[in-house]
Amino acid sequence: MTNTSKSAATAQDDHPWPARRRWMAVLARATSADLESLLSGVDLPPYTVLRGPEDGLVMVRGRAGGGGAAFNLGEMTVTRCAVRTAEGLVGHAYVAGRDRRQAELAALVDAMMQDPARAPALEAGIIAPLEARHLSRRSARAAKAKATTVNFFAMQTTRS
Amino acid sequence: MSVVQDLTPGFADPVGDAQTTFRAVLDAMAHPGSAYTVAPLRPPAPLHQALAAVVLTLADHETPLLLDRGADAAAHWVVFHTGAPSTADAATAAFVVALSLPDLATLPTGTDEAPETSATVILQVARFGAGQRLRLSGPGLRTPLELAVDGLPADFVDRWRRNHALFPRGVDLILCAHDRVVALPRSVSVEEV
């Protein structure tokens, strides 16, 4: 699992729709509570559910040494949903865990984000705030972990 | 990138409806010539309920599908709901989804050791009870049964005779009209009436 950054960077350069990848990632990391509250002021279009929300297992795969043989890392629970708005936009969501409401809302926002007329408002009102919350949660967690860092170099000097 | 897509929902109850439809196909295979009802479904044109229900039930990511030129219009819907790989090569197809009967001779017929590795044809016909009259006999039929099908080619009996002669190899046929299925397993003999 070392040296994965090289193949990840190449995969990102070739991605056909990087902006969509980013907002889908933000939606997948949001909680349904956050999504509900941010969407409460938004005019949601009528939509039909094409599939789900349903949960299942996904086998996560890795590559030995970054570019070698594929192997099964382990199974994770994923909940997915696909919706179609009345205008015909299809949105998809695959989220970790079992939160069906999150999957459905994420799919709906994915559909709405594909409408260029609505996207800027949604970006400002939903995606950017969710991304900011996720980053602040992450940096808080990192700060806690940093406080437990052991400085091995210091240990070495005390021994000699 | 196209934003408007033609997807519509599949089964309302994916597990229950697939089980209902599977049971219908199972019973149809066990009682050739008798019609059984599939689960409710509203597929996109040109697919009708029975054909679409059977495809959603039987196909998955391990069963390559060959859709004929008529059925191909709904390929996006079929692939989305089943995850099945689509193939243009009849020799690799597990299921052939067709609106008109394909040439059975081009399809995989299995081997003597593994006859189940043959293809299965899922064919949409106009209706049962009218049209070409056939007499079925063989395993599953205590006495010969008459079946009328509107939607089979005129030379169907000849084509089926050649398929039947390959037993235990050969293909099986699932006929779908409106919301019902009738199955012709390869073990069945078919004659004109």
Side-chain angles (χ1 to χ4, degrees):
Chain A
M1 270 178 296
T2 55
N3 302 331
T4 50
S5 56
K6 185 174 171 202
S7 47
T10 321
Q12 255 171 4
D13 295 338
D14 294 343
H15 199 275
W17 199 344
R20 187 175 185 189
R21 187 190 206 200
R22 176 188 153 259
W23 80 61
M24 285 181 96
V26 170
L27 292 167
R29 292 188 181 105
T31 63
S32 58
D34 279 349
L35 276 168
E36 297 258 28
S37 72
L38 287 169
L39 284 171
S40 60
V42 175
D43 225 348
L44 297 178
Y47 65 96
T48 44
V49 174
L50 297 176
R51 178 169 64 195
E54 54 189 16
D55 39 75
L57 289 175
V58 165
M59 179 61 78
V60 178
R61 311 247 291 169
R63 285 202 178 275
F71 67 96
N72 289 344
L73 175 60
E75 286 177 327
M76 66 180 286
T77 303
V78 168
T79 303
R80 71 175 176 184
C81 191
V83 304
R84 182 170 194 253
T85 65
E87 304 112 40
L89 297 172
V90 174
H92 300 270
Y94 284 75
V95 306
R98 289 178 298 148
D99 192 341
R100 295 184 170 190
R101 189 65 185 142
Q102 180 199 356
E104 189 167 341
L105 290 174
L108 179 58
V109 176
D110 177 53
M112 294 193 292
M113 284 294 291
Q114 293 171 56
D115 176 1
R118 300 195 68 158
L122 291 170
E123 167 68 40
I126 318 276
I127 309 292
L130 286 174
E131 194 173 38
R133 286 183 204 188
H134 170 67
L135 285 174
S136 75
R137 277 200 301 268
R138 206 163 81 171
S139 62
R141 206 162 57 230
K144 268 192 174 166
K146 194 165 200 312
T148 68
T149 306
V150 176
N151 188 343
F152 286 98
F153 193 65
M155 278 176 68
Q156 190 186 16
T157 50
T158 50
R159 280 181 86 190
S160 65
Chain B
M1 182 160 309
S2 156
V3 288
V4 178
Q5 294 169 38
D6 51 357
L7 286 178
T8 53
F11 284 133
D13 169 14
V15 174
D17 290 346
Q19 289 187 337
T20 299
T21 307
F22 187 84
R23 186 65 200 222
V25 174
L26 192 66
D27 283 339
M29 284 284 178
H31 305 96
S34 298
Y36 293 86
T37 308
V38 301
L41 182 62
R42 281 214 301 271
L47 306 188
H48 295 155
Q49 181 184 344
L51 179 81
V54 171
V55 173
L56 290 197
T57 299
L58 298 182
D60 67 14
H61 65 280
E62 290 175 316
T63 59
L65 292 186
L66 190 154
L67 276 74
D68 78 353
R69 210 164 338 125
D72 201 56
H76 190 204
W77 184 88
V78 168
V79 167
F80 174 73
H81 284 290
T82 61
S86 161
T87 175
D89 179 13
T92 58
F95 294 106
V96 177
V97 181
L99 267 44
S100 52
L101 189 72
D103 182 2
L104 303 181
T106 61
L107 302 178
T109 55
T111 62
D112 288 338
E113 291 80 22
E116 73 280 5
T117 56
S118 63
T120 302
V121 177
I122 311 171
L123 177 69
Q124 182 163 287
V125 295
R127 82 199 112 119
F128 304 126
Q132 196 177 9
R133 287 171 53 215
L134 309 168
R135 182 176 294 118
L136 310 183
S137 56
L141 294 162
R142 192 176 297 132
T143 55
L145 181 83
E146 271 192 31
L147 169 71
V149 181
D150 176 10
L152 291 173
D155 64 345
F156 173 71
V157 174
D158 281 335
R159 287 156 81 167
W160 187 257
R161 190 173 298 132
R162 269 175 266 139
N163 181 58
H164 176 67
L166 300 173
F167 189 88
R169 291 182 293 119
V171 301
D172 307 310
L173 182 56
I174 304 175
L175 301 172
C176 307
H178 183 40
D179 64 346
R180 296 187 304 159
V181 294
V182 166
L184 296 184
R186 69 196 71 178
S187 48
V188 151
S189 304
V190 175
E191 294 160 358
E192 306 252 21
V193 170

